[in-house]
Amino acid sequence: MRGRDWVQWHEDYADPSSALSQRLAAVQRQIRAYLDERPPGPVRLLSMCAGQGRDLLGVLTDHPRRHDVSGRLVELDPRLAADARASVVAAGLTGLEVREADAGESDSYAGATPADLVLACGVFGNITDLDIRQTIDFLPRLCAPGATVIWTRTREAPDLVPTVCDWFAASGFALRFLSDPSEPYGMGVHTLIDPPNPFASRKRLFTFVR
Ligand SMILES: C[S@@+](CC[C@H](N)C(=O)[O-])C[C@H]1O[C@@H](n2cnc3c(N)ncnc32)[C@H](O)[C@@H]1O
């Protein structure tokens, strides 16, 4: 099956009034707030299915904590990974790596864990409910103690956002922020309150079905 053209999908970002641009701004606000509140010291980041990395990189270009940050953006499409890499280089973010790899394979995160901030934006709307659950269950294996996860999921019916929140709770996370249901996107911010689990290699987390 031929998959979706993800380069074309990114074109909606050109319109600042699009729902996608509104979602991006909301995610960036949460990333900025996270970095603003983070105590001094290194911050390790992971982004699953990072695309062009607009969420993270849009914040890090001018954030005072930008040089405390290291981590990995995982993106399968070579053109989008190249865009993200070019933005990382242009912003002088020497601690960040863009890996062209399958974010649904746990091995793609090997050596980049435990992360303090994990982004799963534009993932949960493109995989099965079973894979969402499985991915959330795996997140404590990617996380440092007290890590934050920012995720998105469409509010289109059937709205799975409340269920996703329940799954985060069942996997040891507390809800910190949830976008208002009137917004044209769903976004949640969760913090790991249970102890993290050890990283596990060779695990399948999800497969895109779109
Ligand atoms: C909905 S977009 C989200 C992009 C970005 N996170 C954002 O919010 O702007 C989904 C992204 O996942 C990428 N992708 C699809 N399957 C993937 C996989 N198995 N591993 C890594 N990236 C994947 C696509 O190329 C696309 O860039």
Side-chain angles (χ1 to χ4, degrees):
M1 188 182 77
R2 202 176 137 67
R4 187 163 183 166
D5 182 344
W6 291 110
V7 172
Q8 191 180 47
W9 179 91
H10 279 70
E11 287 171 7
D12 271 10
Y13 281 131
D15 174 3
S17 66
S18 69
L20 194 60
S21 293
Q22 290 177 52
R23 189 191 84 173
L24 174 64
V27 171
Q28 287 179 334
R29 276 195 295 278
Q30 293 299 325
I31 296 172
R32 195 171 288 280
Y34 171 83
L35 291 172
D36 288 348
E37 289 164 17
R38 175 96 193 163
V43 187
R44 214 163 182 189
L45 312 176
L46 268 183
S47 178
M48 305 178 142
C49 304
Q52 294 170 325
R54 287 176 180 250
D55 37 25
L56 266 184
L57 304 175
V59 172
L60 290 175
T61 44
D62 65 355
H63 197 278
R65 300 298 303 278
R66 58 201 300 273
H67 293 302
D68 293 334
V69 161
S70 65
R72 183 178 298 167
L73 288 76
V74 182
E75 167 57 43
L76 192 60
D77 187 294
R79 299 160 297 174
L80 295 168
D83 288 348
R85 208 170 283 121
S87 299
V88 166
V89 170
L93 296 163
T94 51
L96 283 188
E97 167 201 11
V98 178
R99 183 161 293 197
E100 189 186 313
D102 183 352
E105 285 285 346
S106 69
D107 285 9
S108 298
Y109 307 100
T113 65
D116 302 299
L117 177 64
V118 179
L119 299 186
C121 299
V123 181
F124 294 163
N126 298 301
I127 63 179
T128 64
D129 293 3
L130 197 66
D131 279 1
I132 298 173
R133 179 90 207 244
Q134 192 162 272
T135 301
I136 293 169
D137 275 352
F138 192 83
L139 283 170
R141 298 190 184 278
L142 299 178
C143 285
T148 293
V149 178
I150 302 177
W151 56 272
T152 65
R153 157 81 194 195
T154 176
R155 282 283 190 174
E156 275 170 30
D159 182 2
L160 199 73
V161 166
T163 306
V164 169
C165 289
D166 290 345
W167 289 339
F168 268 97
S171 293
F173 290 86
L175 179 65
R176 294 284 173 236
F177 177 84
L178 189 62
S179 58
D180 192 89
S182 64
E183 299 289 357
Y185 54 81
M187 178 189 53
V189 181
H190 279 82
T191 301
L192 184 63
I193 49 171
D194 282 1
N197 295 325
F199 179 72
S201 57
R202 295 195 203 164
K203 296 288 178 202
R204 185 83 216 155
L205 312 185
F206 59 79
T207 303
F208 265 44
V209 290
R210 293 233 237 165

